[in-house]
Amino acid sequence: RISVRILSASVPKLAAGPGLLVRQRPQAEVSLSESSKETELAQFSGSSSSSQQHSPDWALQGGAAASADCPWSFGDTLVFTACLADVHGPGLKVRLRSQSDIVFGPMRLEIAQLEDIGSCRLDLRRW
């Protein structure tokens, strides 16, 4: 088994945080071999010194509270069943996407299409 813990992220495209009318939030997708899993949508923790007060307990316990550098908090752990071939293969692929919501007072409309922000590949042989 391989556990991948996604703590927080810095997303320059979403640096200002959620807007008043249109709100964009990042989501990570992690793939290993043929298996793919997604995190929940991240929460914006802000960039002020009070951001630690709004960080989830897991972030404070691990010393990874959101900061000005990484204001988007995830806190998800994704578990993959893996074999030796997966470790020696191309590794983990991480893709960051954003979902947009339009908010009018109490009404919220989710836009179904996710926008790709970026991706990377992690070589498991180096861990």
Side-chain angles (χ1 to χ4, degrees):
R1 297 177 119 191
I2 294 178
S3 296
V4 179
R5 188 170 182 195
I6 311 289
L7 297 175
S8 60
S10 172
V11 186
K13 182 176 180 177
L14 306 177
L20 294 175
L21 181 62
V22 176
R23 185 174 66 163
Q24 285 186 292
R25 297 191 306 165
Q27 177 182 45
E29 176 187 64
V30 180
S31 301
L32 177 66
S33 189
E34 300 296 318
S35 181
S36 181
K37 298 186 180 191
E38 296 178 341
T39 65
E40 296 293 324
L41 292 171
Q43 298 296 318
F44 188 73
S45 298
S47 58
S48 68
S49 60
S50 65
S51 65
Q52 282 191 344
Q53 295 174 356
H54 303 294
S55 297
D57 289 341
W58 57 263
L60 296 174
Q61 291 170 1
S67 68
D69 295 333
C70 296
W72 290 100
S73 298
F74 290 94
D76 295 50
T77 300
L78 308 175
V79 180
F80 294 90
T81 301
C83 62
L84 191 56
D86 294 329
V87 174
H88 290 291
L92 287 169
K93 180 179 180 184
V94 180
R95 186 167 71 162
L96 194 61
R97 303 180 295 175
S98 71
Q99 179 177 341
S100 297
D101 296 344
I102 298 174
V103 181
F104 279 130
M107 186 177 78
R108 188 179 96 195
L109 174 67
E110 287 185 11
I111 299 173
Q113 184 176 352
L114 293 172
E115 179 183 345
D116 283 331
I117 297 174
S119 65
C120 69
R121 192 167 292 276
L122 301 172
D123 185 354
L124 296 176
R125 293 171 286 187
R126 295 181 182 235
W127 294 91

